């Protein structure tokens, strides 16, 4: 920041005197983008806002000083489609529902968010929501109002449960919630008919609901790091196209294959997938054979 050239009014607004290094001032606090623009006329941030107003994309990663909230200026941009505020110190996302008419991608990863504003459920055009590496313990029930959401990333939080009506996320294709505190999954999980990939590794899951048989497009399921997990329900293995499962060794037989009821159907699909991958590698010249 060009602190050496600040006006006295701007310097006072930033709690340091002209010529002082802002990072060394114990009074310096993180500012919202709108405050910085008003107080300092920060040209770089101003240009980003101007571009975002035209392109619909605003990226403010690793700001200095770090953001502690969603900038007011961003919340008033009627054409904003992509907002990335990752790697800051944001503690909440109040007012995010103000972008309901335009926002399709929201990244708030690597912040300090402990709870989400329920208005997030009004983001009816949202397709990507990335909340990895925060401090969330739960998700607000209205989040299922994001009917177009395709990718939801929740890894590395302390979430203990998913919304009971999660099946309302009718477009969800990818869900990652690794490294949380999930002990169960809601029965409604089985209504995620468009779900293709789910990463639930490193949680506290003990049993999966048989309703997962309703995930008619599920191909990849990661469950390693759940040491108390019971054998997978038969409907999951027989009624879905699942052909890649990652589990801990206690669910595998001596042959390294998944055991339990319905496992034969899964193991057959798994072998078919592996054979196709092998043929693809052979044709692509990726495999080398020695004579």
């Amino acid at each position: 920041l060009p602190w050496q050239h600040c006006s006295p009014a701007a310097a006072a607004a930033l709690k340091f005197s002209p010529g002082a290094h802002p990072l060394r001032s114990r009074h310096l606090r993180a500012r919202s983008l709108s405050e910085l623009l008003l107080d300092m006329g920060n040209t770089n941030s101003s240009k980003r806002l101007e571009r975002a107003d035209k392109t619909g994309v605003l990226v403010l990663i690793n700001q200095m000083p770090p953001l502690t909230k969603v900038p007011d200026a961003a919340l008033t941009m009627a054409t904003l489609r992509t907002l990335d505020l990752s790697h800051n110190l944001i503690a909440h996302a109040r007012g995010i529902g103000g972008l309901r008419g335009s926002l399709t991608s929201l990244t708030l990863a690597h912040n300090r968010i402990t709870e989400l504003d329920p208005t997030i459920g009004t983001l009816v055009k949202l397709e990507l929501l990335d909340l990895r590496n925060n401090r969330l313990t739960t998700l607000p029930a209205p989040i299922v109002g994001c009917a177009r959401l395709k990718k939801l990333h929740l890894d590395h939080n302390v979430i203990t449960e998913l919304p009971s009506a999660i099946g309302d996320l009718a477009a969800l294709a990818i869900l990652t919630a690794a490294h949380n505190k999930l002990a169960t999954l809601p029965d409604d999980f089985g209504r995620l008919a468009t779900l293709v990939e789910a990463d639930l590794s490193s949680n506290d899951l003990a049993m999966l609901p048989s309703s997962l048989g309703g995930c008619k497009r599920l191909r990849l399921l990661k469950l390693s790091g759940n040491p108390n997990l019971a054998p997978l329900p038969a409907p999951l293995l027989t009624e879905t196209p699942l052909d890649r499962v990652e589990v801990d060794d206690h669910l595998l037989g001596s042959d390294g294959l998944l055991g339990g009821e319905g496992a034969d159907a899964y193991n057959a699909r798994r072998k078919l997938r592996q054979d196709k991958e092998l043929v693809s590698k052979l044709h692509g010249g990726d495999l080398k054979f020695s004579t």
Side-chain angles (χ1 to χ4, degrees):
L1 297 176
W3 57 87
Q4 296 93 337
H5 307 293
C6 284
S7 67
L14 284 174
K15 308 298 183 185
F16 62 89
S17 59
H21 194 303
L23 298 182
R24 295 174 182 170
S25 173
R26 65 186 180 90
H27 299 293
L28 182 67
R29 60 186 178 88
R31 314 297 304 277
S32 74
L33 180 60
S34 57
E35 287 176 309
L36 287 173
L37 290 174
L38 288 173
D39 294 342
M40 292 186 60
N42 187 301
T43 56
N44 289 332
S45 297
S46 180
K47 288 179 179 179
R48 288 188 184 185
L49 272 178
E50 291 175 3
R51 287 197 301 268
D53 208 25
K54 297 176 181 178
T55 65
V57 177
L58 180 58
V59 178
L60 295 171
I61 300 174
N62 276 323
Q63 293 299 286
M64 185 58 66
L67 301 175
T68 59
K69 67 174 185 176
V70 179
D72 296 335
L75 295 174
T76 60
M77 298 182 67
T79 59
L80 193 62
R81 294 178 290 103
T82 298
L83 179 60
D84 187 345
L85 304 177
S86 54
H87 294 275
N88 280 288
L89 298 178
I90 296 173
H92 59 79
R94 296 191 186 101
I96 198 67
L99 298 172
R100 66 177 64 89
S102 59
L103 200 64
T104 61
S105 176
L106 176 59
T107 300
L108 295 171
H110 294 272
N111 277 286
R112 296 183 178 181
I113 300 173
T114 57
E115 61 179 349
L116 288 178
D117 188 335
T119 63
I120 197 167
T122 65
L123 300 178
V124 294
K125 294 186 178 181
L126 195 64
E127 297 182 0
L128 166 66
L129 178 58
D130 189 345
L131 296 167
R132 289 174 290 185
N133 293 86
N134 276 285
R135 301 175 180 180
L136 294 166
T137 59
T138 187
L139 299 176
I143 196 173
V144 300
C146 300
R148 296 188 187 181
L149 193 63
K150 296 178 181 179
K151 298 179 181 180
L152 177 58
H153 300 297
L154 304 169
D155 313 81
H156 293 278
N157 279 279
V158 284
I159 298 172
T160 58
E161 61 180 1
L162 296 175
S164 59
I166 193 171
D168 287 349
L169 296 175
L172 194 64
I174 297 176
L175 169 64
T176 63
H179 296 276
N180 277 283
K181 299 293 183 181
L182 296 173
T184 61
L185 296 180
D187 287 337
D188 206 49
F189 201 98
R191 287 204 300 121
L192 295 173
T194 60
L195 190 66
V196 177
E197 300 179 10
D199 186 352
L200 303 170
S201 56
S202 299
N203 277 282
D204 298 323
L205 294 170
M207 184 174 293
L208 301 183
S210 59
S211 64
L212 265 63
C215 298
K216 299 302 183 183
R217 296 186 183 179
L218 187 62
R219 299 293 300 272
L220 170 62
L221 181 58
K222 296 182 179 182
L223 295 166
S224 58
N226 289 282
N228 298 316
L229 186 63
L232 307 187
L236 172 63
L237 302 176
T238 61
E239 300 175 15
T240 73
L242 189 67
D243 60 10
R244 189 192 299 264
V245 175
E246 297 179 8
V247 295
D248 291 335
D249 290 344
H250 74 280
L251 294 178
L252 301 176
S254 58
D255 54 3
L257 297 178
L258 195 66
E261 185 181 356
D264 288 346
Y266 162 75
N267 289 326
R269 290 192 304 273
R270 174 178 176 271
K271 184 178 186 305
L272 180 61
R273 172 184 58 79
Q274 291 175 329
D275 290 345
K276 289 181 178 179
E277 290 177 352
L278 179 61
V279 170
S280 177
K281 289 180 179 180
L282 284 169
H283 288 171
D286 291 336
L287 294 184
K288 297 180 180 180
F289 296 92
S290 59
T291 58

